[in-house]
Amino acid sequence: MKKLSVVLLMASLTMASADCGAAEKKAKFVDVGLILPLTGKFAETGKYMKEGVEFVVDVIHKEGGIKSLGGASIRLNYGDTASDPKSAASEAERLCSMKKPSVIIGPYSSGEAQVVAPLAEAYKIPNIAVRTATEELYPLKLKYWYQIGMPISKYGRPWAESVY
């Protein structure tokens, strides 16, 4: 799980940093919001996710920053979901209204995503869900919500079809 979280977050941050450039070619910083379970029942996973993102950011900075933005640095802004949808909502609101990130990575759980995705949508901030498996967000046709993974109804399906 630890390696998977790091790989997924590396992909998320790479996608986010590649996409942030069109409007601000000479930005000094790109603010990235991380809404992670740093406390609560998913805290161990949140720790690995945080470490993965920080690793990728360090690599990007060592390679001269975001090239498409003239070497801009990534500034991470954290929000702790406390493994709870209510906390996730208040942290997402705080980050969106005060920090105004270019992208939000997270949250981890489906319950948290169900409250964070609509907030990010309202603020028109791209939101990359890392491991959310919720089906409830798909009918909303959100423009700013992206998911790395698959909905719960798809888990195991390719394997079962191959066996069949």
Side-chain angles (χ1 to χ4, degrees), residues 107-131:
Y108 171 72
S109 78
S110 295
E112 296 165 9
Q114 289 174 4
V115 295
V116 171
L119 279 168
E121 188 79 13
Y123 281 95
K124 298 183 178 181
I125 297 172
N127 176 209
I128 302 169
V130 179
R131 196 177 171 279

Side-chain angles (χ1 to χ4, degrees), residues 14-23 68 126 146:
T14 301
M15 288 172 22
S17 65
D19 192 43
C20 292
S68 63
Y146 306 92

Side-chain angles (χ1 to χ4, degrees), residues 6 22 91 93 99 106 127 139 150 161:
V6 170
E91 286 295 277
E93 180 68 39
K99 300 294 183 177
N127 176 209
M150 62 183 74
E161 289 172 350

Side-chain angles (χ1 to χ4, degrees), residues 50-77:
K50 181 178 185 270
E51 290 172 356
V53 170
E54 289 171 348
F55 171 78
V56 173
V57 168
D58 287 344
V59 169
I60 291 170
H61 288 165
K62 285 177 185 170
E63 293 179 354
I66 302 171
K67 305 248 186 295
S68 63
L69 294 178
S73 296
I74 297 170
R75 195 166 36 195
L76 299 174
N77 299 290

